[in-house]
Amino acid sequence: MKTLATVPAWLFVLAAAVVSPYKANAAEYGSAPCTVSEVAVFENRIHVRCTNPQSGTFGPISFFAVSTGNSTNAARFLTIFNSALVENRKLTIQYELFDISGQDFGCMATNCRAARGAFLGPRQ
């Protein structure tokens, strides 16, 4: 056990940063095309369901959700999600595959990821 005490603390921090699957920059998030089949609003989240699921670690990811904890942010996403559904427009969701923090607001780790951004494209 004395061996660990001789290793500098900064080395553990460096190792954690290198091994971590999370990215610090929002520009490094992945994106997924989404053909919207459902938009739902719940007390703790809003979500969009895509008919073209993305490959995930635990299975296909069909849902992308946003917490309603920040009502302004949730309203922005809801507007884009609804526009994609009602106007049959292309939607691209920005997310991080290994980020399962959405569980805090009801987004299941098996088939849902927290949306970090959304892009509304032309009509299909």
Side-chain angles (χ1 to χ4, degrees):
M1 288 306 208
K2 282 198 164 243
T3 308
L4 286 178
T6 61
V7 177
W10 63 267
L11 188 58
F12 287 108
V13 173
L14 178 63
V18 171
V19 175
S20 174
Y22 298 106
K23 298 174 180 75
N25 187 341
E28 296 179 11
Y29 289 134
S31 61
C34 175
T35 302
V36 180
S37 64
E38 170 185 292
V39 175
V41 178
F42 300 94
E43 183 179 338
N44 56 347
R45 75 178 184 283
I46 60 168
H47 77 226
V48 63
R49 182 178 192 172
C50 304
T51 60
N52 51 331
Q54 303 302 305
S55 296
T57 307
F58 305 109
I61 299 169
S62 299
F63 296 91
F64 295 93
V66 178
S67 169
T68 55
N70 178 332
S71 60
T72 304
N73 189 49
R76 289 181 188 129
F77 275 94
L78 185 58
T79 299
I80 289 177
F81 291 170
N82 277 335
S83 294
L85 179 65
V86 172
E87 298 174 17
N88 193 30
R89 294 177 69 173
K90 293 181 181 180
L91 180 67
T92 301
I93 303 287
Q94 195 174 41
Y95 72 105
E96 192 167 343
L97 180 61
F98 299 108
D99 179 9
I100 56 173
S101 64
Q103 290 183 45
D104 294 342
F105 51 86
C107 182
M108 295 176 56
T110 55
N111 66 354
C112 183
R113 290 296 176 268
R116 301 296 180 202
F119 306 91
L120 194 57
R123 287 181 171 78
Q124 297 183 21

